């Protein structure tokens, strides 16, 4: 028995060591930082955006750690928003958090992502257990898909009930943003315009939901794909008129083969950049 316990301790220690080597953290200028530095840098910030790679376990583990640390500091003033839930599922989230429906009903109706159980459920359940508000920030995917296939003008035809789930029309699309330009270049022509518009209505909806739920003393942690907040664009471009720049803190996640140095193309993407190993192809 003692030998088995020893082996388990060794395996656990190896896992911890591997986890510590699984990522590096840098500031926007490429200076090496620690997770503790990252947490400390959120002081005096009212809106914190954690840009993730949706399929990266390291980013999700750090999101949970950051959530726990921010809760220690801010308690019930902490609000959590997630791109992974669409605005029309807010009632379902609220019903689950209040105990009116059970976990099975929630998960069957909230259109959870395929990696929900491993990557997002721990954060949602932490919020629920500690009485925090969790905000579904994304536009319902049916409307984003409609914009992609038919153009942004299709939103004018949505019912009054449906229009409650995204910002008041018209939704402006700033095609000068570098992130939108890059996206348009991926698909030239009309489909590229629609893809940008589809991204923009997501960003605009998330920004509006974040701002609507924000309170004077709240700290809002938002989890989203990195592309939605890289270079302080996307979601943040819709928030800037309402929230001071010095109150916004952006984290992003990138893949690199070298974790010791931040590559030049990844500098300046965010306030803090988490580097994870590139996937083996």
């Amino acid at each position: 028995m003692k030998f088995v316990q020893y082996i388990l301790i060794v395996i656990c220690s190896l896992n911890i060591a591997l986890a510590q080597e699984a990522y590096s953290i840098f500031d926007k200028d490429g200076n090496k930082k620690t997770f503790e530095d990252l947490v400390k840098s959120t002081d005096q910030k009212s809106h914190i955006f954690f840009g993730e790679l949706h399929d990266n376990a390291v980013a999700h583990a750090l999101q949970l750690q950051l959530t726990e640390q921010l809760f220690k500091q801010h308690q019930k003033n902490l609000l959590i928003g997630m791109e992974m839930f669409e605005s029309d599922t807010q009632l379902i989230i609220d019903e689950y958090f209040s105990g009116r429906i059970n976990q099975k009903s929630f998960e069957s109706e909230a259109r959870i992502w395929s990696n929900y159980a491993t990557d997002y459920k721990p954060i949602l359940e932490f919020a629920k257990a500690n009485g925090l508000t969790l905000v579904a920030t994304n536009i319902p995917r049916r409307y984003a898909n409609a914009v992609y296939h038919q153009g942004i003008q299709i939103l004018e035809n949505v019912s009054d009930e449906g229009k409650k789930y995204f910002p008041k029309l018209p939704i402006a699309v700033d095609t000068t943003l570098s992130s939108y330009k890059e996206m348009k270049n991926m698909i030239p022509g009309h489909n590229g315009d629609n893809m940008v518009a589809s991204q923009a209505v997501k960003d605009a909806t998330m920004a509006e939901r974040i701002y609507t739920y924000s309170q004077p003393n709240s700290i809002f942690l938002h989890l989203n794909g990195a592309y939605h907040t890289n270079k302080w664009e996307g979601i943040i471009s819709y928030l800037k008129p309402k929230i001071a720049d010095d109150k916004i803190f952006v984290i992003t996640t990138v893949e690199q083969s070298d974790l010791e140095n931040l590559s030049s193309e990844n500098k300046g993407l965010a306030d803090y950049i988490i580097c994870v190993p590139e996937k083996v192809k």
Side-chain angles (χ1 to χ4, degrees):
M1 180 62 72
K2 288 184 177 180
F3 177 74
V4 172
Q5 290 175 334
Y6 171 76
I7 293 298
L8 289 174
I9 291 171
V10 170
I11 292 172
C12 183
S13 299
L14 287 172
N15 286 340
I16 292 171
L18 288 172
Q20 290 173 339
E21 295 175 0
Y23 68 92
S24 295
I25 300 177
F26 301 89
D27 67 16
K28 62 184 178 182
D29 298 316
N31 300 306
K32 202 83 173 281
K33 296 292 180 179
T34 66
F35 181 74
E36 289 72 23
D37 293 329
L38 185 155
V39 174
K40 187 175 181 180
S41 295
T42 66
D43 289 350
Q44 307 304 313
K45 306 297 182 181
S46 62
H47 291 77
I48 302 160
F49 295 85
F50 197 129
E52 64 173 46
L53 302 176
H54 293 316
D55 60 351
N56 186 267
V58 172
H60 297 304
L62 292 177
Q63 285 174 336
L64 179 59
Q65 288 185 44
L66 181 59
T67 301
E68 293 169 343
Q69 290 299 315
L70 291 176
F71 177 70
K72 286 181 181 179
Q73 295 176 13
H74 305 289
Q75 295 294 303
K76 294 295 182 66
N77 286 330
L78 177 64
L79 306 176
I80 300 172
M82 299 178 76
E83 173 199 355
M84 302 80 202
F85 290 100
E86 297 157 38
S87 55
D88 61 345
T89 65
Q90 188 66 53
L91 175 63
I92 302 170
I93 293 173
D94 294 344
E95 288 178 334
Y96 177 49
F97 275 37
S98 67
R100 293 186 178 91
I101 62 173
N102 61 26
Q103 186 178 93
K104 182 178 180 181
S105 295
F106 164 71
E107 294 182 1
S108 67
E109 296 185 39
R111 301 195 295 275
I112 58 176
W113 288 17
S114 59
N115 59 333
Y116 169 76
T118 54
D119 297 334
Y120 305 115
K121 184 173 182 175
I123 297 170
L124 181 138
E125 292 295 338
F126 179 88
K128 180 177 183 292
N130 289 285
L132 302 180
T133 296
L134 190 136
V135 185
T137 59
N138 212 349
I139 189 172
R141 67 188 72 175
R142 60 187 179 274
Y143 300 139
N145 287 340
V147 170
Y148 176 71
H149 290 290
Q150 302 179 66
I152 197 168
Q153 71 280 353
I154 193 63
L155 295 180
E156 296 285 356
N157 298 332
V158 173
S159 68
D160 290 342
E161 178 65 24
K163 287 176 180 175
K164 295 177 182 178
Y165 300 117
F166 53 79
K168 184 178 179 180
L169 300 176
I171 297 173
V173 180
D174 184 355
T175 56
T176 67
L177 295 179
S178 62
S179 55
Y180 289 172
K181 285 182 178 179
E182 291 170 8
M183 183 174 291
K184 179 175 169 53
N185 290 337
M186 295 177 189
I187 304 179
H190 191 63
N191 285 342
D193 291 333
N194 285 354
M195 184 165 70
V196 168
S198 179
Q199 179 84 352
V201 297
K202 294 177 183 178
D203 290 336
T205 302
M206 287 189 270
E208 181 178 78
R209 298 278 294 172
I210 290 166
Y211 185 74
T212 298
Y213 274 83
S214 297
Q215 300 296 321
N217 296 320
S218 66
I219 306 298
F220 202 117
L221 171 64
H222 192 260
L223 311 182
N224 52 263
Y227 208 76
H228 287 286
T229 47
N230 277 352
K231 302 178 184 177
W232 300 269
E233 295 184 350
I235 299 169
I236 296 167
S237 68
Y238 287 98
L239 279 174
K240 279 186 175 180
K242 302 173 181 177
I243 298 172
D245 289 350
D246 62 359
K247 291 296 183 181
I248 294 174
F249 185 80
V250 180
I251 304 160
T252 195
T253 310
V254 299
E255 291 182 336
Q256 289 191 180
S257 57
D258 174 18
L259 298 186
E260 289 304 310
N261 301 283
L262 186 64
S263 64
S264 58
E265 64 266 26
N266 288 328
K267 289 181 180 179
L269 280 181
D271 293 293
Y272 269 57
I273 298 101
I274 298 168
C275 290
V276 298
E278 289 181 342
K279 293 184 181 65
V280 178
K281 298 181 180 178

